[in-house]
């Protein structure tokens, strides 16, 4: 009797839903206390019932039935796509596994890596579409032979390809007589310029979104009881998904409890003095190491340039000499962070978060200093050298730095994690498996992305190389993490860490890159014999000549007005800066008021 009653009740439910409008029917199905599988079954029955009714009244409502049938078909197609699109989300399952086993601290690294990969896909599509494809139209065949060493050095055969600045033409491309033309000078500088403007806006938006989600979202301040009792998703029916969700929820509760149960350790005056001395010595040692590394890179780069300018051959010795500078720079970037991690353990911070943030600060000083020395070398020494095409020489240097750093990143996973696990589980059992070094790995990503941004002007397809590198790094790091590393011994909450990573990527990384690109475009003289800006006093002179030409063209007067009154106006940018500061101040006040309100509400709930 119960079975027949349930059957007829479902039939009535389907009939009632079929008689509703589309929006009312969707809301009614969403509010049902059923699993997603059951909701899909009910939805499909309703759609079949609607189709059946529409066929029954076909003779009377032929036009209405046709439109309704089309709408139902599109809705079925959309529902099918939405069901399967969830399964195709990029690395979704891998991220859930990492978050469930290792917590949000390690997960933040992989989320940041995925975000950078998407960023480089966008960069590659823009450069390839507006710079590289037009160059293919007028490209001449490459007469150099390919030996295979070019994959490591970036020289030889690759010099005469679209990989580097020097290969691009300075002519106006026209395939049809008296037809539309394509100015490569304007296309090159506007594509790079607009790309950096878009990057600036994306970084600001991403930081604001991450800040809102991790700092001022109401869910961040929800109690542990609500997380324990109200966050389970009853639509999950798969056994593996249930276990994964249980691990994830358990890790989140442990992180919250760690924040609540944090003990404040009180030190005596003698202990505090000893700790201060240890911190000072550690910072002096870390800064001294960074200065020594920068000095070594600078002198090595000058000797490297002398070798290239005096005698540049394609023999094995010259090819190997090209790899000395990137090898030494990558070696310093790979091994000095281990020294910084050892200093952090020596200082014995009270929480893992303090240790990670201090290690990140020391690593960012090291890596940005090395990049700054290299930029000074490229802008002031290479650009003034006797090289026929200094822009291509800079592009080759950056290519080698990115490639060798990628190789060291893979070797770091092998030696720093795999061999460390063997030693810790076989010879020195008290050490145990290693923990994932978040600070060192994140700064590797920021360092490589900084080089890529600088290299876009000199090697437009460099983001394509980064796409391949980041994809391989993700899978290698994921496998190494799951096989070699153990979860953090001290569980700690790091919801704000992704925001910190994006801020470090914005400043000093992106802001520093804008400074280097600005000096290159406005101040440096392009090479006389290569590239789209050959023969001009500066790259920006191409824009000035274009504006001068438009002044004699009446329909384009509005472009000239925007250029003179907005783009080159100091007052306009001063007003924009003041407005940005005012908006930032008001936004900060709103955030503080919201935090105060949340704390008052929490106190009232507790009372």
């Amino acid at each position: 009797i119960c079975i027949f009653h349930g059957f007829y009740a479902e039939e009535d439910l389907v009939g009632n839903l079929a008689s509703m409008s589309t929006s009312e029917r969707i809301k009614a199905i969403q509010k049902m206390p059923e699993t997603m599988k059951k909701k899909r079954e009910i939805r499909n029955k309703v759609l079949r019932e609607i189709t059946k009714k529409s066929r029954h009244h076909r003779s009377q409502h032929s036009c209405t039935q046709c439109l309704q049938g089309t709408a139902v078909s599109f809705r079925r197609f959309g529902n099918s796509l939405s069901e399967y699109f969830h399964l195709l989300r990029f690395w979704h399952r891998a991220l859930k596994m990492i978050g469930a086993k290792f917590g949000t601290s390690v997960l933040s690294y992989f989320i940041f890596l995925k975000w950078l990969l998407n960023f480089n896909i966008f960069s590659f599509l823009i450069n390839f579409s507006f710079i590289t494809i037009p160059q293919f139209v007028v490209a001449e065949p490459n007469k150099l032979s390919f030996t295979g060493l070019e994959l490591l050095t970036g020289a030889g055969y690759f010099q005469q390809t679209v990989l580097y600045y020097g290969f691009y033409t300075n002519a106006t491309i026209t395939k049809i007589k008296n037809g539309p033309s394509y100015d490569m000078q304007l296309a090159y500088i506007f594509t790079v310029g607009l790309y950096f403007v878009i990057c600036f806006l994306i970084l600001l938006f991403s930081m604001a979104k991450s800040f809102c989600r991790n700092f001022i979202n109401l869910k961040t301040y929800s109690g542990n009881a609500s997380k324990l009792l109200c966050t389970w998703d009853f639509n999950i029916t798969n056994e593996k998904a249930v276990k994964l969700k249980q691990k994830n929820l358990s890790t989140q509760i442990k992180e919250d409890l760690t924040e609540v149960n944090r003990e404040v350790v009180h030190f005596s005056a003698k202990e505090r003095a000893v700790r201060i001395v240890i911190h000072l010595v550690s910072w002096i040692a870390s800064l001294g190491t960074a200065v020594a590394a920068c000095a070594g890179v600078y002198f090595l780069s000058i000797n490297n340039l002398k070798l290239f300018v005096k005698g540049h051959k394609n023999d094995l010795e010259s090819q190997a000499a090209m790899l000395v500078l990137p090898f030494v720079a990558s070696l310093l970037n790979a091994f000095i962070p281990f020294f910084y991690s050892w200093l952090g353990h020596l200082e014995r911070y009270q929480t893992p978060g303090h240790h990670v943030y201090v290690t990140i600060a020391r690593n960012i000083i090291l890596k940005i200093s090395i990049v700054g020395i290299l930029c000074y070398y490229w802008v002031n020494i290479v650009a003034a050298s006797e090289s026929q095409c200094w822009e291509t020489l800079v592009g080759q240097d950056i290519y080698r730095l990115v490639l060798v750093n990628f190789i060291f990143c893979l070797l770091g996973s092998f030696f720093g994690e795999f061999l460390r696990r063997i030693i810790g589980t076989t010879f020195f059992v008290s050490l145990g498996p290693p923990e994932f070094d978040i600070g060192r790995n994140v700064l590797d990503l920021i360092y490589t992305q900084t080089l890529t941004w600088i290299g876009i002007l000199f090697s437009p397809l460099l983001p394509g190389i980064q796409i391949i590198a980041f994809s391989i790094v993700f899978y290698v790091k994921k496998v190494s993490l799951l096989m070699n590393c153990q979860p953090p011994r001290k569980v700690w909450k790091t919801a704000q860490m992704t925001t910190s990573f994006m801020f470090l990527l914005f400043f000093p990384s992106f802001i520093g890159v804008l400074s280097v690109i600005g000096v290159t475009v406005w101040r440096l003289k392009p090479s006389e014999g290569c590239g789209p800006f050959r023969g001009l006093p500066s790259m920006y002179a191409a824009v000035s000549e274009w504006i001068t030409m438009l002044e004699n063209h009446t329909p384009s007067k509005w472009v000239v007005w925007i250029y003179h009154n907005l783009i080159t106006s100091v007052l306009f940018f001063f007003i924009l800066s003041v407005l940005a500061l005012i908006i930032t101040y008001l936004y900060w006040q709103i955030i503080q008021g919201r935090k105060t309100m949340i704390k008052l509400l929490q106190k009232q709930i507790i009372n």
Side-chain angles (χ1 to χ4, degrees):
I1 292 172
C2 291
I3 293 173
F4 281 109
H5 176 73
F7 174 76
Y8 285 113
E10 186 172 324
E11 288 293 320
D12 294 337
L13 176 63
V14 171
N16 292 331
L17 290 172
S19 61
M20 295 180 182
S21 64
T22 304
S23 59
E24 292 175 348
R25 183 168 62 249
I26 294 171
K27 291 179 180 178
I29 294 175
Q30 286 177 346
K31 292 179 180 179
M32 289 180 182
E34 302 287 349
T35 63
M36 289 297 294
K37 184 178 180 181
K38 185 67 175 177
K39 288 181 181 180
R40 291 192 186 103
E41 291 177 358
I42 295 173
R43 183 197 63 200
N44 293 332
K45 288 182 180 179
V46 172
L47 293 176
R48 283 195 294 269
E49 183 68 18
I50 293 173
T51 306
K52 190 187 299 182
K53 288 182 178 180
S54 63
R55 288 174 181 172
H56 181 70
H57 299 287
R58 182 182 298 173
S59 58
Q60 299 178 359
H61 307 283
S62 57
C63 183
T64 305
Q65 184 271 336
C66 181
L67 293 175
Q68 191 174 16
T70 305
V72 169
S73 300
F74 274 109
R75 179 141 190 87
R76 282 181 177 176
F77 178 71
N79 290 329
S80 301
L81 284 180
S82 63
E83 289 174 14
Y84 292 105
F85 184 74
H86 180 77
L87 301 175
L88 298 176
R89 284 203 291 177
F90 208 33
W91 296 334
H92 179 68
R93 181 170 177 78
L95 293 175
K96 289 181 67 175
M97 290 174 59
I98 293 169
K101 187 174 181 181
F102 295 91
T104 56
S105 58
V106 178
L107 177 64
S108 61
Y109 165 80
F110 287 91
I111 292 175
F112 185 60
L113 174 55
K114 176 187 173 184
W115 186 81
L116 283 179
L117 178 62
N118 294 332
F119 210 92
N120 280 280
I121 292 174
F122 166 74
S123 308
F124 174 76
L125 290 177
I126 286 183
N127 290 345
F128 188 78
S129 301
F130 296 102
I131 298 178
T132 305
I133 292 179
Q135 178 62 32
F136 279 134
V137 177
V138 295
E140 298 179 358
N142 194 339
K143 298 180 181 179
L144 298 176
S145 59
F146 182 77
T147 61
L149 288 174
E150 291 87 349
L151 295 174
L152 285 175
T153 63
Y157 180 84
F158 286 160
Q159 288 181 351
Q160 300 299 323
T161 63
V162 292
L163 182 61
Y164 294 121
Y165 163 94
F167 183 72
Y168 289 85
T169 182
N170 64 336
T172 300
I173 301 173
T174 305
K175 296 302 291 183
I176 304 174
K177 191 175 182 180
N178 298 325
S181 59
Y182 195 85
D183 193 324
M184 276 299 295
Q185 289 184 345
L186 296 177
Y188 202 100
I189 194 168
F190 281 145
T191 300
V192 173
L194 289 176
Y195 164 72
F196 279 110
V197 171
I198 295 171
C199 286
F200 180 80
L201 297 176
I202 289 176
L203 282 172
L204 285 181
F205 176 77
S206 300
M207 283 192 299
K209 183 179 178 182
S210 180
F211 184 83
C212 291
R213 182 174 63 249
N214 295 323
F215 283 88
I216 63 174
N217 193 352
L218 289 172
K219 294 180 181 178
T220 306
Y221 300 95
S222 60
N224 294 321
S226 62
K227 182 169 288 188
L228 180 63
L229 300 175
C230 305
T231 57
W232 184 258
D233 188 358
F234 289 94
N235 294 323
I236 300 175
T237 57
N238 184 272
E239 185 178 353
K240 290 184 179 179
V242 169
K243 290 182 178 179
L244 193 61
K245 182 69 176 179
Q246 287 175 343
K247 285 184 178 180
N248 206 334
L249 186 58
S250 173
T251 304
Q252 291 180 22
I253 294 173
K254 287 179 183 178
E255 292 173 350
D256 290 333
L257 291 176
T258 304
E259 291 288 318
V260 174
N261 298 326
R262 180 187 298 174
E263 296 181 0
V264 179
V265 181
H266 298 282
F267 298 101
S268 63
K270 182 179 179 181
E271 289 174 336
R272 284 199 298 270
V274 171
R275 289 177 65 85
I276 290 172
V277 170
I278 292 174
H279 290 322
L280 286 175
V281 172
S282 298
W283 274 104
I284 292 172
S286 62
L287 293 176
T289 307
V291 171
C294 291
V297 169
Y298 177 73
F299 288 113
L300 182 63
S301 59
I302 291 179
N303 292 330
N304 218 28
L305 179 64
K306 291 178 180 178
L307 176 67
F308 293 152
V309 171
K310 287 183 178 180
H312 187 73
K313 300 178 182 179
N314 286 326
D315 56 5
L316 187 60
E317 183 180 354
S318 298
Q319 298 281 336
M322 293 180 185
L323 297 172
V324 174
L325 175 61
F327 179 81
V328 172
S330 299
L331 196 67
L332 294 172
N333 280 317
F335 284 97
I336 292 179
F338 287 106
F339 173 65
Y340 290 166
S341 297
W342 178 77
L343 288 178
H345 289 296
L346 187 67
E347 291 172 293
R348 295 183 180 179
Y349 288 97
Q350 295 183 28
T351 63
H354 290 161
H355 181 193
V356 170
Y357 283 118
V358 169
T359 304
I360 287 176
R362 289 168 178 166
N363 278 283
I364 197 71
I365 291 172
L366 170 70
K367 294 179 183 295
I368 294 300
S369 299
I370 290 178
V371 172
I373 289 295
L374 289 171
C375 290
Y376 176 82
Y377 157 69
W378 291 326
V379 170
N380 290 279
I381 299 176
V382 176
S385 65
E386 301 174 2
S387 175
Q388 294 180 353
C389 190
W390 64 266
E391 295 91 348
T392 296
L393 189 61
V394 172
Q396 291 174 358
D397 274 343
I398 296 175
Y399 173 90
R400 289 188 286 268
L401 284 166
V402 169
L403 184 65
V404 175
N405 187 76
F406 165 69
I407 295 172
F408 270 81
C409 184
L410 300 183
L411 293 176
S413 295
F414 178 77
F415 290 103
E417 294 167 3
F418 175 71
L419 291 184
R420 170 67 174 77
R421 177 180 67 84
I422 299 297
I423 294 171
T425 56
T426 306
F427 301 102
F428 301 97
V429 183
S430 58
L431 294 176
E435 294 184 16
F436 189 78
D437 194 336
I438 303 169
R440 177 174 59 84
N441 285 284
V442 166
L443 267 300
D444 279 341
L445 297 180
I446 294 178
Y447 169 76
T448 311
Q449 186 60 39
T450 304
L451 290 176
T452 303
W453 274 333
I454 297 171
I456 280 177
L457 185 64
F458 309 104
S459 179
L461 297 186
L462 200 59
I465 299 171
Q466 278 295 76
I467 293 171
I468 301 172
F470 280 157
S471 301
I472 297 173
V473 166
F474 185 93
Y475 285 106
V476 170
K477 291 292 182 182
K478 185 197 77 170
V479 172
S480 178
L481 176 73
L482 296 176
M483 292 181 61
N484 302 320
C485 299
Q486 64 172 338
R489 294 185 179 92
K490 294 181 181 179
V491 181
W492 54 296
K493 189 174 182 178
T494 54
Q496 297 86 6
M497 186 161 277
T498 305
T499 309
S500 304
F501 296 161
M502 290 184 180
F503 177 77
L504 288 175
L505 188 67
F506 180 76
F507 180 83
S509 176
F510 184 74
I511 298 300
V513 170
L514 289 183
S515 303
V516 175
I517 296 297
V519 170
T520 305
V521 171
W522 268 274
R523 299 292 183 185
L524 299 185
K525 181 178 175 59
S527 299
E528 293 289 343
C530 70
F533 303 103
R534 66 190 77 175
L536 296 177
S538 67
M539 295 182 183
Y540 188 73
V543 179
S544 301
E545 292 181 0
W546 179 60
I547 293 297
T548 303
M549 183 185 66
L550 290 180
E551 288 177 350
N552 300 322
H553 194 240
T554 305
S556 301
K557 288 288 186 181
W558 61 275
V559 179
V560 179
W561 185 90
I562 291 175
Y563 175 79
H564 288 298
N565 294 279
L566 297 181
I567 296 177
T568 59
S569 173
V570 177
L571 179 62
F572 173 72
F573 285 101
F574 174 75
I575 294 173
L576 279 183
S577 302
V578 172
L579 289 176
L581 290 174
I582 293 173
I583 292 172
T584 304
Y585 174 76
L586 294 175
Y587 186 64
W588 180 255
Q589 292 297 318
I590 293 171
I591 291 171
Q592 295 300 320
R594 191 170 181 180
K595 283 186 176 181
T596 305
M597 182 184 67
I598 291 170
K599 290 179 180 178
L600 290 174
L601 288 174
Q602 286 180 338
K603 289 181 180 179
Q604 291 178 1
I605 292 171
I606 292 171
N607 294 333

